[in-house]
Amino acid sequence: MTKGAENKRQGMKSSNGAGTVRIRFLGTGDNFGSGGRLQACIHVDAGVSRFLIDCGASSLIAMKRAGISSAGIDAILISHLHGDHFGGIPFFILDAQLISRREVPLVIAGPPGLTQRVREAMEVFYPGSSGIERKFAVEYVEMIEDE
C-alpha cells in the first residue's frame, strides 16, 4: 500500500498536528437506492467531536453496519431538506432514546425550515414522537446563508 493510500485509509492528519480526522462515507446513493447504495450519510470523527453530514432514511442501517452508535454522535449537519438527506433523523432520534440510551445533547443544524420538517417527519412516521420527553436535549440550528 502506498503511503498516500494508507493515510486515506487511516484518516487525515489535521493541519495543526493536533490529531486525526477520519471520514467515512456510509451512504452515497440517490433517493432510490440505485445500485444497492444507501442514502447520503458521511461520518466524521475528529477525535473530540463526531458528527454526520446528512442523515438519509437508510443512515441508521449504515451506522449499525459500521458499528457507530447514535449515542456517539455530537451533531448532524443537513445540507438540504430532501428525504434522502434528512429522512433518517426520526429513526436516529428514536434509536438514541430507546436503544442506545443517549443522555447528552444532540445538535441538528441545517437550512431554514429544518426544525419544522423534522418534527413533521417524526409525526408522520411515529405519531406523538416529536413531543415526548427525552433524556437528552435536541437543539435545532437553522443556518441562514451569509450569516
Side-chain angles (χ1 to χ4, degrees), residues 102-116:
R102 180 187 191 96
E103 294 186 0
V104 297
L106 173 67
V107 174
I108 303 175
L114 172 72
T115 307
Q116 180 179 344

Side-chain angles (χ1 to χ4, degrees), residues 8-107:
K8 285 181 184 175
R9 186 177 63 79
Q10 294 179 353
M12 298 171 48
K13 272 297 205 193
S14 64
S15 60
N16 64 8
T20 299
V21 175
R22 184 173 181 188
I23 300 171
R24 297 170 75 183
F25 291 83
L26 302 176
T28 59
D30 58 16
N31 55 338
F32 304 112
S34 300
R37 294 187 347 230
L38 299 173
Q39 294 173 343
C41 185
I42 300 168
H43 177 252
V44 179
D45 182 344
V48 297
S49 179
R50 291 167 191 83
F51 59 92
L52 299 179
I53 300 173
D54 286 331
C55 187
S58 58
S59 295
L60 193 57
I61 297 164
M63 290 173 60
K64 289 182 182 286
R65 284 183 184 168
I68 299 167
S69 170
S70 58
I73 301 297
D74 300 308
I76 302 172
L77 310 176
I78 300 300
S79 62
H80 62 283
L81 297 176
H82 288 170
D84 57 324
H85 290 264
F86 89 99
I89 293 174
F91 304 105
F92 182 101
I93 290 173
L94 290 173
D95 180 86
Q97 177 182 345
L98 302 171
I99 305 300
S100 66
R101 308 280 190 210
R102 180 187 191 96
E103 294 186 0
V104 297
L106 173 67
V107 174

